[in-house]
Short mmCIF file of all heavy atoms in Angstrom, two decimals:
data_model
loop_
_atom_site.label_atom_id
_atom_site.label_comp_id
_atom_site.label_asym_id
_atom_site.label_seq_id
_atom_site.Cartn_x
_atom_site.Cartn_y
_atom_site.Cartn_z
N GLY A 442 -10.36 36.44 37.92
CA GLY A 442 -10.66 37.80 37.50
C GLY A 442 -9.97 38.81 38.38
O GLY A 442 -9.07 38.47 39.16
N PRO A 443 -10.41 40.05 38.34
CA PRO A 443 -9.78 41.10 39.12
C PRO A 443 -10.12 40.98 40.60
O PRO A 443 -11.03 40.28 40.98
CB PRO A 443 -10.40 42.38 38.52
CG PRO A 443 -11.74 41.91 38.00
CD PRO A 443 -11.52 40.53 37.50
N ALA A 444 -9.36 41.68 41.41
CA ALA A 444 -9.63 41.69 42.84
C ALA A 444 -10.96 42.38 43.11
O ALA A 444 -11.36 43.29 42.39
CB ALA A 444 -8.50 42.42 43.58
N VAL A 445 -11.65 41.92 44.16
CA VAL A 445 -12.90 42.55 44.55
C VAL A 445 -12.59 43.90 45.19
O VAL A 445 -11.77 43.97 46.10
CB VAL A 445 -13.67 41.65 45.55
CG1 VAL A 445 -14.94 42.33 46.00
CG2 VAL A 445 -13.96 40.30 44.90
N PRO A 446 -13.24 44.98 44.75
CA PRO A 446 -12.95 46.30 45.33
C PRO A 446 -13.13 46.30 46.84
O PRO A 446 -14.14 45.83 47.36
CB PRO A 446 -14.01 47.20 44.65
CG PRO A 446 -14.31 46.51 43.36
CD PRO A 446 -14.21 45.04 43.66
N GLY A 447 -12.13 46.80 47.54
CA GLY A 447 -12.19 46.84 48.99
C GLY A 447 -11.75 45.56 49.66
O GLY A 447 -11.65 45.49 50.88
N HIS A 448 -11.54 44.49 48.85
CA HIS A 448 -11.11 43.20 49.40
C HIS A 448 -9.97 42.67 48.54
O HIS A 448 -10.16 41.78 47.72
CB HIS A 448 -12.28 42.21 49.41
CG HIS A 448 -13.44 42.66 50.23
ND1 HIS A 448 -13.51 42.46 51.59
CD2 HIS A 448 -14.56 43.34 49.87
CE1 HIS A 448 -14.65 42.97 52.04
NE2 HIS A 448 -15.29 43.51 51.03
N PRO A 449 -8.75 43.21 48.71
CA PRO A 449 -7.64 42.82 47.85
C PRO A 449 -7.26 41.34 47.96
O PRO A 449 -6.61 40.81 47.07
CB PRO A 449 -6.49 43.70 48.34
CG PRO A 449 -6.88 44.09 49.73
CD PRO A 449 -8.37 44.18 49.74
N ASP A 450 -7.70 40.69 49.06
CA ASP A 450 -7.37 39.27 49.21
C ASP A 450 -8.36 38.37 48.49
O ASP A 450 -8.19 37.15 48.45
CB ASP A 450 -7.35 38.90 50.70
CG ASP A 450 -8.65 39.23 51.40
OD1 ASP A 450 -9.26 40.26 51.04
OD2 ASP A 450 -9.06 38.47 52.30
N LEU A 451 -9.41 38.94 47.92
CA LEU A 451 -10.42 38.16 47.22
C LEU A 451 -10.38 38.47 45.73
O LEU A 451 -10.06 39.58 45.32
CB LEU A 451 -11.83 38.47 47.74
CG LEU A 451 -12.11 38.12 49.20
CD1 LEU A 451 -13.51 38.57 49.58
CD2 LEU A 451 -11.96 36.62 49.43
N VAL A 452 -10.71 37.45 44.93
CA VAL A 452 -10.80 37.65 43.49
C VAL A 452 -12.11 37.07 43.00
O VAL A 452 -12.72 36.25 43.67
CB VAL A 452 -9.63 36.98 42.73
CG1 VAL A 452 -8.32 37.65 43.06
CG2 VAL A 452 -9.59 35.49 43.03
N VAL A 453 -12.55 37.50 41.84
CA VAL A 453 -13.77 36.98 41.23
C VAL A 453 -13.39 35.82 40.32
O VAL A 453 -12.60 35.98 39.41
CB VAL A 453 -14.50 38.07 40.41
CG1 VAL A 453 -15.75 37.47 39.77
CG2 VAL A 453 -14.87 39.23 41.30
N LEU A 454 -13.95 34.63 40.59
CA LEU A 454 -13.69 33.49 39.73
C LEU A 454 -14.45 33.65 38.42
O LEU A 454 -15.65 33.92 38.43
CB LEU A 454 -14.14 32.19 40.42
CG LEU A 454 -13.25 31.69 41.57
CD1 LEU A 454 -13.94 30.51 42.24
CD2 LEU A 454 -11.90 31.27 41.05
N GLN A 455 -13.77 33.47 37.30
CA GLN A 455 -14.43 33.54 36.01
C GLN A 455 -14.96 32.15 35.66
O GLN A 455 -14.37 31.41 34.89
CB GLN A 455 -13.43 34.02 34.94
CG GLN A 455 -12.84 35.38 35.24
CD GLN A 455 -13.90 36.46 35.21
OE1 GLN A 455 -14.62 36.60 34.23
NE2 GLN A 455 -14.01 37.23 36.27
N LEU A 456 -16.08 31.77 36.27
CA LEU A 456 -16.65 30.46 35.99
C LEU A 456 -17.12 30.41 34.54
O LEU A 456 -17.51 31.42 33.97
CB LEU A 456 -17.85 30.20 36.90
CG LEU A 456 -17.53 29.99 38.38
CD1 LEU A 456 -18.82 29.80 39.14
CD2 LEU A 456 -16.62 28.81 38.58
N PRO A 457 -17.09 29.23 33.94
CA PRO A 457 -17.53 29.11 32.55
C PRO A 457 -18.93 29.64 32.36
O PRO A 457 -19.79 29.45 33.21
CB PRO A 457 -17.47 27.59 32.30
CG PRO A 457 -16.53 27.07 33.33
CD PRO A 457 -16.67 27.97 34.52
N GLY A 458 -19.15 30.29 31.22
CA GLY A 458 -20.49 30.80 30.92
C GLY A 458 -21.52 29.69 30.90
O GLY A 458 -22.70 29.92 31.15
N LEU A 459 -21.04 28.47 30.66
CA LEU A 459 -21.94 27.33 30.63
C LEU A 459 -22.64 27.13 31.96
O LEU A 459 -23.76 26.64 32.02
CB LEU A 459 -21.15 26.07 30.26
CG LEU A 459 -21.93 24.76 30.11
CD1 LEU A 459 -22.94 24.89 28.97
CD2 LEU A 459 -20.98 23.60 29.85
N LEU A 460 -21.98 27.54 33.06
CA LEU A 460 -22.55 27.33 34.39
C LEU A 460 -23.92 27.97 34.51
O LEU A 460 -24.89 27.35 34.94
CB LEU A 460 -21.60 27.89 35.45
CG LEU A 460 -22.10 27.82 36.90
CD1 LEU A 460 -22.34 26.37 37.29
CD2 LEU A 460 -21.11 28.47 37.83
N ARG A 461 -24.00 29.23 34.09
CA ARG A 461 -25.29 29.92 34.20
C ARG A 461 -26.30 29.32 33.24
O ARG A 461 -27.49 29.25 33.52
CB ARG A 461 -25.11 31.41 33.95
CG ARG A 461 -24.42 32.12 35.09
CD ARG A 461 -24.15 33.57 34.76
NE ARG A 461 -25.38 34.26 34.45
CZ ARG A 461 -25.41 35.49 33.92
NH1 ARG A 461 -24.28 36.10 33.65
NH2 ARG A 461 -26.54 36.08 33.67
N GLN A 462 -25.84 28.88 32.08
CA GLN A 462 -26.76 28.27 31.14
C GLN A 462 -27.31 26.96 31.67
O GLN A 462 -28.38 26.54 31.28
CB GLN A 462 -26.05 28.03 29.80
CG GLN A 462 -25.62 29.32 29.10
CD GLN A 462 -24.85 29.03 27.83
OE1 GLN A 462 -24.65 27.89 27.47
NE2 GLN A 462 -24.41 30.09 27.17
N ARG A 463 -26.55 26.32 32.56
CA ARG A 463 -26.97 25.03 33.09
C ARG A 463 -27.80 25.16 34.37
O ARG A 463 -28.06 24.18 35.03
CB ARG A 463 -25.74 24.16 33.39
CG ARG A 463 -24.90 23.92 32.16
CD ARG A 463 -25.62 23.09 31.12
NE ARG A 463 -24.82 22.97 29.93
CZ ARG A 463 -24.97 22.04 29.01
NH1 ARG A 463 -25.91 21.15 29.13
NH2 ARG A 463 -24.21 22.01 27.94
N GLY A 464 -28.20 26.36 34.75
CA GLY A 464 -29.15 26.52 35.84
C GLY A 464 -28.56 26.65 37.23
O GLY A 464 -29.31 26.62 38.19
N LEU A 465 -27.22 26.72 37.36
CA LEU A 465 -26.56 26.87 38.66
C LEU A 465 -26.84 25.73 39.62
O LEU A 465 -26.63 25.85 40.81
CB LEU A 465 -26.95 28.20 39.34
CG LEU A 465 -26.18 29.44 38.90
CD1 LEU A 465 -26.78 30.00 37.64
CD2 LEU A 465 -26.18 30.48 39.98
N GLN A 466 -27.32 24.59 39.14
CA GLN A 466 -27.61 23.48 40.03
C GLN A 466 -26.37 23.08 40.82
O GLN A 466 -26.44 22.79 42.01
CB GLN A 466 -28.14 22.29 39.24
CG GLN A 466 -29.50 22.52 38.62
CD GLN A 466 -30.61 22.63 39.65
OE1 GLN A 466 -30.40 22.30 40.80
NE2 GLN A 466 -31.76 23.10 39.25
N ASP A 467 -25.22 23.03 40.17
CA ASP A 467 -24.01 22.60 40.86
C ASP A 467 -23.42 23.71 41.71
O ASP A 467 -22.79 23.46 42.71
CB ASP A 467 -22.99 22.10 39.84
CG ASP A 467 -23.52 20.89 39.11
OD1 ASP A 467 -23.62 19.83 39.74
OD2 ASP A 467 -23.87 21.03 37.94
N LEU A 468 -23.65 24.98 41.31
CA LEU A 468 -23.19 26.09 42.13
C LEU A 468 -23.90 26.09 43.47
O LEU A 468 -23.29 26.33 44.51
CB LEU A 468 -23.44 27.41 41.38
CG LEU A 468 -22.99 28.67 42.12
CD1 LEU A 468 -21.51 28.59 42.45
CD2 LEU A 468 -23.28 29.89 41.26
N GLN A 469 -25.20 25.82 43.46
CA GLN A 469 -25.93 25.80 44.72
C GLN A 469 -25.41 24.66 45.60
O GLN A 469 -25.27 24.82 46.82
CB GLN A 469 -27.42 25.62 44.47
CG GLN A 469 -27.82 24.18 44.51
CD GLN A 469 -29.19 23.92 44.00
OE1 GLN A 469 -29.82 24.75 43.38
NE2 GLN A 469 -29.63 22.75 44.26
N GLN A 470 -25.09 23.50 45.01
CA GLN A 470 -24.57 22.40 45.80
C GLN A 470 -23.21 22.76 46.38
O GLN A 470 -22.89 22.45 47.53
CB GLN A 470 -24.48 21.15 44.92
CG GLN A 470 -25.83 20.62 44.49
CD GLN A 470 -25.74 19.62 43.36
OE1 GLN A 470 -24.64 19.25 42.96
NE2 GLN A 470 -26.88 19.19 42.85
N LEU A 471 -22.39 23.43 45.58
CA LEU A 471 -21.09 23.88 46.04
C LEU A 471 -21.25 24.87 47.18
O LEU A 471 -20.53 24.85 48.18
CB LEU A 471 -20.35 24.54 44.87
CG LEU A 471 -18.84 24.76 45.03
CD1 LEU A 471 -18.12 23.45 45.26
CD2 LEU A 471 -18.30 25.47 43.79
N HIS A 472 -22.25 25.74 47.05
CA HIS A 472 -22.55 26.74 48.07
C HIS A 472 -22.89 26.04 49.39
O HIS A 472 -22.36 26.38 50.45
CB HIS A 472 -23.72 27.59 47.60
CG HIS A 472 -24.18 28.62 48.59
ND1 HIS A 472 -23.48 29.77 48.84
CD2 HIS A 472 -25.27 28.66 49.38
CE1 HIS A 472 -24.13 30.49 49.75
NE2 HIS A 472 -25.22 29.83 50.09
N ARG A 473 -23.76 25.04 49.33
CA ARG A 473 -24.17 24.35 50.55
C ARG A 473 -23.00 23.56 51.14
O ARG A 473 -22.83 23.47 52.35
CB ARG A 473 -25.34 23.42 50.27
CG ARG A 473 -25.87 22.77 51.55
CD ARG A 473 -27.08 21.91 51.31
NE ARG A 473 -28.18 22.74 50.88
CZ ARG A 473 -28.63 22.79 49.63
NH1 ARG A 473 -28.09 22.02 48.72
NH2 ARG A 473 -29.61 23.59 49.29
N TRP A 474 -22.20 22.94 50.24
CA TRP A 474 -21.04 22.18 50.70
C TRP A 474 -20.09 23.07 51.46
O TRP A 474 -19.53 22.69 52.49
CB TRP A 474 -20.35 21.55 49.49
CG TRP A 474 -19.12 20.74 49.85
CD1 TRP A 474 -19.08 19.59 50.58
CD2 TRP A 474 -17.78 21.05 49.49
NE1 TRP A 474 -17.79 19.15 50.69
CE2 TRP A 474 -16.97 20.02 50.03
CE3 TRP A 474 -17.17 22.06 48.76
CZ2 TRP A 474 -15.59 20.00 49.87
CZ3 TRP A 474 -15.81 22.03 48.59
CH2 TRP A 474 -15.04 21.02 49.14
N HIS A 475 -19.93 24.31 50.98
CA HIS A 475 -19.05 25.25 51.67
C HIS A 475 -19.61 25.64 53.03
O HIS A 475 -18.88 25.71 54.02
CB HIS A 475 -18.83 26.50 50.82
CG HIS A 475 -18.15 27.60 51.59
ND1 HIS A 475 -16.84 27.52 52.01
CD2 HIS A 475 -18.62 28.79 52.03
CE1 HIS A 475 -16.53 28.62 52.66
NE2 HIS A 475 -17.59 29.40 52.70
N LEU A 476 -20.91 25.88 53.10
CA LEU A 476 -21.50 26.32 54.35
C LEU A 476 -21.50 25.24 55.42
O LEU A 476 -21.32 25.51 56.59
CB LEU A 476 -22.95 26.79 54.09
CG LEU A 476 -23.12 28.09 53.31
CD1 LEU A 476 -24.60 28.38 53.12
CD2 LEU A 476 -22.46 29.25 54.05
N HIS A 477 -21.68 24.00 54.99
CA HIS A 477 -21.89 22.94 55.97
C HIS A 477 -20.80 21.87 55.97
O HIS A 477 -20.84 20.96 56.78
CB HIS A 477 -23.25 22.27 55.72
CG HIS A 477 -24.39 23.24 55.76
ND1 HIS A 477 -24.77 23.90 56.90
CD2 HIS A 477 -25.21 23.68 54.77
CE1 HIS A 477 -25.78 24.70 56.64
NE2 HIS A 477 -26.08 24.57 55.36
N GLY A 478 -19.86 21.96 55.04
CA GLY A 478 -18.84 20.93 54.97
C GLY A 478 -17.45 21.52 54.98
O GLY A 478 -17.19 22.55 55.60
N PRO A 479 -16.49 20.89 54.26
CA PRO A 479 -15.12 21.39 54.23
C PRO A 479 -15.05 22.83 53.76
O PRO A 479 -15.84 23.27 52.95
CB PRO A 479 -14.44 20.44 53.23
CG PRO A 479 -15.28 19.22 53.24
CD PRO A 479 -16.68 19.69 53.46
N GLU A 480 -14.05 23.54 54.27
CA GLU A 480 -13.93 24.95 53.95
C GLU A 480 -12.71 25.22 53.08
O GLU A 480 -12.13 26.31 53.10
CB GLU A 480 -13.87 25.78 55.23
CG GLU A 480 -15.07 25.51 56.13
CD GLU A 480 -15.43 26.72 56.97
OE1 GLU A 480 -14.74 27.73 56.86
OE2 GLU A 480 -16.38 26.62 57.71
N GLY A 481 -12.38 24.24 52.30
CA GLY A 481 -11.17 24.35 51.48
C GLY A 481 -11.27 25.36 50.37
O GLY A 481 -10.26 25.82 49.84
N LEU A 482 -12.51 25.72 49.97
CA LEU A 482 -12.65 26.66 48.86
C LEU A 482 -12.35 28.09 49.27
O LEU A 482 -11.96 28.92 48.46
CB LEU A 482 -14.06 26.57 48.27
CG LEU A 482 -14.41 25.22 47.60
CD1 LEU A 482 -15.82 25.25 47.09
CD2 LEU A 482 -13.44 24.94 46.47
N GLY A 483 -12.64 28.41 50.53
CA GLY A 483 -12.35 29.76 51.02
C GLY A 483 -13.20 30.84 50.38
O GLY A 483 -12.76 31.97 50.23
N ILE A 484 -14.42 30.47 50.01
CA ILE A 484 -15.31 31.46 49.39
C ILE A 484 -16.52 31.62 50.28
O ILE A 484 -17.21 30.65 50.56
CB ILE A 484 -15.76 31.02 47.98
CG1 ILE A 484 -14.54 30.78 47.11
CG2 ILE A 484 -16.67 32.05 47.35
CD1 ILE A 484 -14.89 30.16 45.77
N GLY A 485 -16.80 32.81 50.75
CA GLY A 485 -17.91 33.06 51.64
C GLY A 485 -19.24 33.10 50.91
O GLY A 485 -19.28 33.13 49.69
N GLY A 486 -20.34 33.12 51.69
CA GLY A 486 -21.69 33.10 51.10
C GLY A 486 -21.93 34.26 50.16
O GLY A 486 -22.49 34.10 49.07
N ASP A 487 -21.51 35.48 50.58
CA ASP A 487 -21.76 36.65 49.72
C ASP A 487 -20.97 36.54 48.43
O ASP A 487 -21.45 36.90 47.35
CB ASP A 487 -21.36 37.94 50.46
CG ASP A 487 -22.29 38.21 51.63
OD1 ASP A 487 -23.42 37.68 51.61
OD2 ASP A 487 -21.90 38.94 52.54
N GLU A 488 -19.72 36.06 48.55
CA GLU A 488 -18.90 35.91 47.34
C GLU A 488 -19.48 34.85 46.41
O GLU A 488 -19.45 34.98 45.20
CB GLU A 488 -17.46 35.56 47.72
CG GLU A 488 -16.68 36.72 48.32
CD GLU A 488 -17.12 37.06 49.73
OE1 GLU A 488 -17.40 36.14 50.51
OE2 GLU A 488 -17.21 38.27 50.05
#
Side-chain angles (χ1 to χ4, degrees):
V445 177
H448 300 275
D450 55 325
L451 296 176
V452 293
V453 179
L454 286 173
Q455 301 295 306
L456 291 178
L459 183 62
L460 177 60
R461 288 175 58 191
Q462 296 176 1
R463 301 294 176 160
L465 277 83
Q466 293 291 348
D467 297 289
L468 181 57
Q469 93 192 13
Q470 293 165 5
L471 195 59
H472 177 75
R473 185 176 294 106
W474 180 66
H475 169 68
L476 289 179
H477 303 294
E480 305 209 359
L482 294 179
I484 303 172
D487 292 338
E488 287 72 40

